[in-house]
């Protein structure tokens, strides 16, 4: 008997599962981060070419790169959590059973979610500080607080991705343990 999944239309109704919708949003958010990085690379290239040919680079291009890379870096975090693409040390888990790896995944998901929650609170405090004192970049006068909302959204998605991976790991623990093939001793 399969478990009923929560869907957009409500529990027990036909529709798109919430986890699938969250996964799609997380993937498209990471694609947005990739497009942002691409745009920054193109802008930097154009600025260098303009500086070389016309001796006039774009003013404040490095400010946009700093702000844009900060946002882009955070857009990838939920995707990395969702796909298990975070840095791992396989040498420590190569010997581990599937059940033990699921235990590690539960712990990692809890730590990731807790850390993202902590970052949300501190980044929100940072955003309110920059907004209150109206700090801007020196050349283009871009309000520094303006990069915080997409970063906070990324962190909220990271919490969501951590919950998804936690559910998957707990489901893995709930499955009966599969026997591992044993190799003959020499």
């Amino acid at each position: 008997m399969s478990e009923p999944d929560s869907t957009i239309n409500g529990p027990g109704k036909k529709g798109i599962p919430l986890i699938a919708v969250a996964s799609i949003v997380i993937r498209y958010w990471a694609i947005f981060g990739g497009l942002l990085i691409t745009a920054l690379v193109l802008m930097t290239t154009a600025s260098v070419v303009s500086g070389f040919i016309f001796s006039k680079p774009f003013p404040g291009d490095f400010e946009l790169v700093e702000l844009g890379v900060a946002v882009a870096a955070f857009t990838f975090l939920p995707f990395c959590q969702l796909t298990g693409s975070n840095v791992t040390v396989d040498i420590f888990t190569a010997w581990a059973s599937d059940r033990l790896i699921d235990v590690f995944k539960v712990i990692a998901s809890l730590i990731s979610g807790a850390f993202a929650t902590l970052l949300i609170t501190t980044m929100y405090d940072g955003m309110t500080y920059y907004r209150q004192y109206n700090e801007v970049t020196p050349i283009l006068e871009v309000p520094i607080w303006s990069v915080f909302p997409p970063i906070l959204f990324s962190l909220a998605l990271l919490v969501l991705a951590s919950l998804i991976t936690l559910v998957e790991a707990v489901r893995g623990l709930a499955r009966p343990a599969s026997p591992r093939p044993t190799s003959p001793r020499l």
Side-chain angles (χ1 to χ4, degrees):
M1 208 162 108
S2 65
E3 300 174 24
D5 285 330
S6 293
T7 65
I8 294 279
N9 298 328
K13 304 205 178 178
K14 294 193 179 214
I16 303 170
L18 290 176
I19 290 176
V21 171
S23 298
I24 290 167
V25 170
I26 289 168
R27 289 175 195 279
Y28 278 105
W29 189 243
I31 290 169
F32 165 72
L35 293 173
L36 179 57
I37 289 285
T38 302
L40 293 170
V41 166
L42 293 174
M43 182 209 53
T44 302
T45 303
S47 180
V48 168
V49 169
S50 176
F52 182 72
I53 294 174
F54 306 112
S55 297
K56 193 158 176 113
F58 298 159
D61 60 344
F62 61 91
E63 292 176 356
L64 293 177
V65 169
E66 287 175 350
L67 299 174
V69 167
V71 170
F74 278 90
T75 64
F76 301 127
L77 294 177
F79 181 76
C80 289
Q81 177 66 31
L82 187 67
T83 60
S85 301
N86 290 321
V87 175
T88 60
V89 184
D90 292 337
I91 194 165
F92 294 117
T93 59
W95 55 269
S97 67
D98 290 341
R99 186 165 299 282
L100 185 57
I101 289 173
D102 283 334
V103 169
F104 289 151
K105 288 179 181 178
V106 166
I107 294 167
S109 295
L110 289 171
I111 291 170
S112 175
F115 189 67
T117 303
L118 175 67
L119 279 176
I120 286 173
T121 59
T122 56
M123 294 292 275
Y124 182 79
D125 290 343
M127 181 181 72
T128 56
Y129 168 83
Y130 282 115
R131 245 185 123 172
Q132 180 181 359
Y133 294 103
N134 200 26
E135 290 200 36
V136 296
T137 59
I139 297 172
L140 296 176
E141 296 183 353
V142 176
I144 293 175
W145 72 266
S146 64
V147 299
F148 282 83
I151 291 172
L152 289 169
F153 182 68
S154 294
L155 290 170
L157 288 179
L158 179 55
V159 169
L160 185 59
S162 297
L163 289 173
I164 291 170
T165 56
L166 177 65
V167 166
E168 290 172 352
V170 168
R171 284 182 180 167
L173 284 173
R175 285 191 293 268
S178 59
R180 280 190 161 259
T182 56
S183 59
R185 293 186 179 217
L186 299 176

